[in-house]
Amino acid sequence: MKKKRTFTVHHILEVLKYIPLVIWVVFFVFAFGWILLASFSTTREIFSGTLLDSGVHLENYTNVWKDNNVGRYFINSILCSALSCAFIILISAPAAYVLAKKTFIGKKLTFNIFVVGMSIPQVMLIIPLYCWFVRAGLVGHLITLIILYTTLNVPYTVYFLTAFFSSVPSALAEAARIDGCSQTGALWRIMVPMASPGIITVTIFNFMNTWNEYFMALIFANGNDEIRTLSMGLQNIITAMTYTGNWAGLFAAVMMVFLPTFILYLLLSDKIVSGITGGGVKG
């Protein structure tokens, strides 16, 4: 005879706590789906509520790509994001390894400096940074954004990776040293591969941050259309589409900016989860 299942207050509360998450997911799916369909429709169909009534309009994407210099913006964003992420790891991985595995005078102070660096709002740094880059003649160059994105993301990356290097057994590096491996070789050949989940995770976060960054690009790289990133290009497209009334093209541009990071997150979501949880496990 089957037992009758009873719902207690605890069960009801367990169900209720998921309601905000369900509402958020439904809202996101509806908004994303509507924008996606609108990007393949005409402006008339968007305002009449009859999306895709006349079929799929791929020309919305091709026209935005050709007429608004989106290809140049894509290349600039890829260069800034990829090079910045590479430089961030090259700088942060050795620093995090030393903070996690070595003992030296001022170790705690050094770690706290990185923590303080994470807490400083970027808007507070704009004026001094702008003055320095003006004197150096670097304002209006793509290399400026790479330098800024690298240095501004190093504190968080060092803080994040320190936990991962702490979880990697020190015996592995010591064994490599006994076999004749140098300190640098032990770091890059043994410790970095062992901490790869954390490195991949923080690199994904840094890539998404730099890909979508707008404020720094507006201040330091706004003088020339050839060095604008995709976020700045999208703002120009929004302004142009507002005057021309081509809302279908505007939604196509939004999707072109949004999809790369969204696809990246979908493909690597399992690594993000394993990377976030892995840092809290001691080896």
Side-chain angles (χ1 to χ4, degrees), residues 21-127:
L21 177 62
V22 172
I23 294 174
W24 184 88
V25 170
V26 171
F27 172 78
F28 173 80
V29 171
F30 174 79
F32 175 77
W34 190 90
I35 294 173
L36 180 63
L37 294 178
S39 67
F40 290 105
S41 305
T42 64
T43 300
R44 183 184 296 275
E45 290 169 347
I46 292 173
F47 284 95
S48 63
T50 56
L51 300 180
L52 300 180
D53 189 48
S54 61
V56 177
H57 294 269
L58 294 175
E59 65 272 14
N60 292 339
Y61 286 84
T62 57
N63 291 338
V64 169
W65 184 273
K66 291 187 299 183
D67 300 338
N68 295 277
N69 208 19
V70 174
R72 179 75 258 177
Y73 301 152
F74 252 97
I75 294 174
N76 291 339
S77 290
I78 290 174
L79 284 174
C80 284
S81 300
L83 291 177
S84 298
C85 289
F87 289 141
I88 290 168
I89 296 302
L90 287 175
I91 296 170
S92 301
Y97 171 69
V98 170
L99 289 172
K101 295 298 184 183
K102 304 299 179 181
T103 302
F104 57 91
I105 299 174
K107 174 180 176 179
K108 187 174 182 179
L109 175 62
T110 304
F111 182 78
N112 290 336
I113 289 174
F114 283 109
V115 175
V116 171
M118 293 169 49
S119 63
I120 299 176
Q122 292 185 5
V123 68
M124 294 179 60
L125 304 174
I126 290 296
I127 294 178

Side-chain angles (χ1 to χ4, degrees), residues 9 11 38 69 108 114 120 158-159 199 216 225 236 267 277:
V9 176
H11 290 114
N69 208 19
K108 187 174 182 179
F114 283 109
I120 299 176
V158 170
Y159 177 82
I199 292 175
M216 289 291 179
D225 191 60
N236 293 338
L267 294 177
T277 57

Side-chain angles (χ1 to χ4, degrees), residues 201-251:
T201 300
V202 78
T203 300
I204 294 171
F205 288 154
N206 288 332
F207 183 87
M208 290 192 292
N209 288 336
T210 55
W211 181 269
N212 296 315
E213 202 281 327
Y214 174 76
F215 188 59
M216 289 291 179
L218 176 65
I219 300 298
F220 292 93
N222 196 26
N224 187 353
D225 191 60
E226 292 299 314
I227 64 171
R228 286 176 179 160
T229 57
L230 203 55
S231 58
M232 293 179 59
L234 178 61
Q235 180 61 45
N236 293 338
I237 293 172
I238 290 174
T239 303
M241 297 302 182
T242 302
Y243 285 106
T244 60
N246 185 9
W247 292 96
L250 173 59
F251 287 123

Side-chain angles (χ1 to χ4, degrees), residues 129-147:
L129 285 176
Y130 188 80
C131 293
W132 293 341
F133 279 99
V134 166
R135 292 174 184 173
L138 290 175
V139 174
H141 298 277
L142 205 61
I143 188 64
T144 304
L145 293 182
I146 297 174
I147 295 172

